Amino acid sequence: MLDKLKQVEDRYEELCARAEQPDFYADPKKAAAWLREQKELAPIVAAYRAYCAAQRDMQDAAELMAGQADAELKALCQEELAGAKKRAAALEQELRVLLLPHDPNDGKNVILEIRPGVGGEESALFAADLYRMYSMYAESRRWKTEINSVNETELGGVKEISFTIEGEGVYSR
């Protein structure tokens, strides 16, 4: 796993160096693809670097602990070692999740359509509540919602609603 992470970090550094070149935007399609790839790799690289830092902290604390005769300083080193082990374990789990393959549709927007089922006005009211739930969830994630079509009932329910949710990671959620 660490070899793959090192390759990801090298690719990220290569993309960063390439973005600094003056002719980077000569081909806008390639530039957009490279920037998209760089943006996808950024959280993986950040977690990998934090993991490496936690590993170094563990090693430093173990070296300090081995050379100490002072009990108080040794206890402090043990605390540092335990904290670094916890951070490294959490970061390792995060890295495993980040390295899972992504769905190619993750960057796309979503069109949702809600229709009430059997139940008359009660199901239409539930469909309206369902739309409000989705729109509030999208708002909490700072996504944009746009109603494409709506057919309402007299009591505030929805016979049919179609809306688009736009934003980063909408499809994957």
Side-chain angles (χ1 to χ4, degrees), residues 50-125:
Y51 177 77
C52 289
Q55 292 288 353
R56 281 192 301 274
D57 290 347
M58 284 173 37
Q59 187 177 12
D60 292 346
E63 288 174 4
L64 276 173
M65 196 168 60
Q68 290 300 324
D70 185 16
E72 189 175 307
L73 196 54
K74 204 170 193 174
L76 186 63
C77 289
Q78 284 179 337
E79 282 182 33
E80 179 66 30
L81 182 64
K85 279 184 181 180
K86 274 187 177 179
R87 280 195 321 263
L91 287 166
E92 184 176 351
Q93 183 62 31
E94 181 182 345
L95 284 168
R96 288 182 192 277
V97 171
L98 287 171
L99 287 176
L100 291 174
H102 294 283
D103 187 346
N105 293 324
D106 280 350
K108 296 186 178 180
N109 298 326
V110 174
I111 297 175
L112 287 174
E113 183 176 285
I114 300 173
R115 294 174 185 238
V118 177
E121 194 62 39
E122 283 184 28
S123 63
L125 290 170

Side-chain angles (χ1 to χ4, degrees), residues 118-153:
V118 177
E121 194 62 39
E122 283 184 28
S123 63
L125 290 170
F126 177 73
D129 288 343
L130 193 60
Y131 164 71
R132 279 192 292 280
M133 179 196 68
Y134 276 118
S135 62
M136 290 172 69
Y137 179 73
E139 185 179 308
S140 72
R141 296 246 178 212
R142 295 192 172 97
W143 294 334
K144 181 183 167 196
T145 59
E146 181 181 332
I147 295 176
N148 300 333
S149 68
V150 64
N151 188 358
E152 296 178 343
T153 64

